Amino acid sequence: MNFIPSYSGTTKSVTPLYEPDFSSIDWTPIRKELKLERDGEYYDVPNRWEILRSDNQAHLGVVSNRYEPIPYQDNVKTLIKAINEIQINRLVDDSSATIQIEPLEKGKKLKVVVNFPNETIQPVVGDLSNLKVLMYDSTDSSWTWQILYIMFRYWCSNGCSNEDFKLRWNQKHTKSISDEQNLQKIYDKIVYSVNNFHENEGRFRQWADTGVTFEAAMEVFSKTLAQYRDKNGKLAVSKNVMLDLEAYTHKNYREVGHTAWGAYNAATEWATHFQNSSFQRNRTVKNPSNTERRRASDVATMLESNHWKEITREISYA
């Protein structure tokens, strides 16, 4: 068993896929009637429950009375079962696959990463990437139960985002659905992810052959990743984000050339390397797990934009 640092400052275990370490999630979320204290008296709060950990009674959040707490272990086991059935049908290579289970915020949230080292693509000679399937969950209803995938690029240990982040499968804890239905939905999602991962290899090769100037890349970033609405609702561009993206773009252009592939990797490196990055001047990130998810979603949105498709020659204007 290997251990690597987590955002929470603890460790997350990495084990063979079919030998998961459930010790960090060996508890269940339990519902308790929510009460408020007023003048020494306690009153029930209608239509609301408090969620507690069964092992230490730690408070995990407040949810509606429609919320159904599901133990993390149950959902992780469903994920593993779906992958095993996919492997039986020879639709994924799970040999040497690993799983890491990382509870976040004292158990309020969960991130699971399944790594498939033998599912690889090579858009550029020597620039190898493999498939990773991610699962997110929560006990406080802040995250729905989600399955998505990323491309993990060995060159810089960079988890590359893609449009699939916007097409993720998710399941609300308030919705009643059978275990078999969940299993089938996850099965279908992972099969789609494996196929889409390999289909993207040709697209990435095209990006590696498509020249993009530094100025053009920064213009796209200013209209996508760095754009936000100010307090008056007007569109503005974040100077800090642009400074970070300038640094990552220079770095990736030196490594892979002034291409769409270089611009793409600059964007994904910005999305995943915000912790302890010299490029980002040691700015503190309060909720790194939320930041990682939000930035990956931002990159996925950028890839769907006309701004990006224009510089990659996927669309053209007369």
Side-chain angles (χ1 to χ4, degrees):
M1 183 188 303
N2 297 320
F3 292 92
I4 55 179
S6 72
Y7 290 140
S8 58
T10 58
T11 57
K12 49 190 176 184
S13 62
V14 180
T15 65
L17 174 60
Y18 299 114
E19 300 174 19
D21 175 14
F22 288 127
S23 60
S24 62
I25 54 173
D26 190 19
W27 50 270
T28 58
I30 55 177
R31 295 195 307 183
K32 181 182 178 181
E33 290 184 349
L34 183 64
K35 296 180 180 292
L36 289 181
E37 187 272 335
R38 185 184 302 164
D39 299 328
E41 299 288 336
Y42 286 88
Y43 299 87
D44 291 338
V45 178
N47 302 320
R48 288 290 182 271
W49 294 93
E50 180 183 16
I51 300 297
L52 305 174
R53 285 181 58 148
S54 62
D55 58 345
N56 58 17
Q57 301 298 302
H59 172 82
L60 297 175
V62 175
V63 297
S64 75
N65 60 351
R66 296 187 301 119
Y67 177 87
E68 292 294 335
I70 301 173
Y72 285 146
Q73 284 197 41
D74 290 2
N75 288 345
V76 176
K77 288 176 181 177
T78 300
L79 172 67
I80 295 172
K81 184 176 180 181
I83 294 172
N84 185 50
E85 291 194 6
I86 295 169
Q87 177 275 140
I88 291 173
N89 291 324
R90 298 184 178 181
L91 298 176
V92 70
D93 184 348
D94 66 348
S95 56
S96 302
T98 61
I99 185 169
Q100 65 183 45
I101 299 172
E102 181 184 7
L104 305 167
E105 298 177 26
K106 300 180 179 180
K108 291 182 179 180
K109 298 180 175 69
L110 178 72
K111 177 182 178 181
V112 177
V113 181
V114 179
N115 184 37
F116 296 93
N118 294 326
E119 290 287 349
T120 62
I121 59 175
Q122 193 170 188
V124 178
V125 176
D127 197 347
L128 197 67
S129 298
N130 77 279
L131 173 71
K132 286 190 175 185
V133 169
L134 309 182
M135 186 190 98
Y136 292 101
D137 202 354
S138 73
T139 56
D140 62 355
S141 74
S142 57
W143 292 354
T144 56
W145 181 19
Q146 302 172 347
I147 304 290
L148 54 106
Y149 88 94
I150 61 171
M151 179 185 76
F152 186 79
R153 183 171 175 245
Y154 294 142
W155 189 305
C156 62
S157 298
N158 188 15
C160 296
S161 179
N162 48 66
E163 295 97 322
D164 189 65
F165 200 98
K166 304 291 287 186
L167 299 173
R168 58 183 175 264
W169 172 85
N170 65 82
Q171 175 65 53
K172 293 183 178 179
H173 286 266
T174 56
K175 187 175 181 180
S176 178
I177 186 169
S178 71
D179 291 342
E180 286 303 314
Q181 286 176 306
N182 274 333
L183 182 64
Q184 185 61 52
K185 288 178 180 291
I186 294 174
Y187 180 102
D188 293 342
K189 176 60 182 178
I190 296 175
V191 169
Y192 163 81
S193 297
V194 174
N195 292 337
N196 189 257
F197 169 75
H198 287 286
E199 288 169 1
N200 269 328
E201 184 172 24
R203 185 186 188 197
F204 294 145
R205 286 177 178 171
Q206 181 178 343
W207 288 358
D209 291 332
T210 302
V212 175
T213 66
F214 177 83
E215 293 74 19
M218 297 314 299
E219 182 178 0
V220 170
F221 295 155
S222 72
K223 295 177 179 177
T224 55
L225 303 179
Q227 193 175 82
Y228 71 100
R229 290 194 179 275
D230 63 19
K231 60 182 179 180
N232 297 317
K234 295 183 178 180
L235 290 176
V237 176
S238 169
K239 293 181 180 179
N240 284 335
V241 172
M242 288 300 291
L243 287 172
D244 294 338
L245 286 166
E246 285 179 7
Y248 284 123
T249 303
H250 281 305
K251 172 181 176 291
N252 279 277
Y253 274 18
R254 286 195 302 269
E255 293 174 350
V256 301
H258 289 59
T259 62
W261 178 240
Y264 169 68
N265 280 285
T268 56
E269 193 168 355
W270 164 82
T272 57
H273 286 58
F274 50 84
Q275 288 289 92
N276 302 319
S277 170
S278 59
F279 289 141
Q280 303 197 35
R281 297 172 299 286
N282 297 318
R283 291 197 298 275
T284 301
V285 177
K286 293 182 179 179
N287 295 300
S289 56
N290 287 334
T291 299
E292 180 182 50
R293 283 161 46 86
R294 185 185 70 251
R295 289 191 178 187
S297 183
D298 289 343
V299 172
T301 299
M302 179 194 76
L303 298 179
E304 294 175 332
S305 72
N306 287 341
H307 306 298
W308 176 259
K309 290 178 180 179
E310 184 177 3
I311 67 168
T312 58
R313 315 295 194 269
E314 293 175 17
I315 62 171
S316 60
Y317 297 104

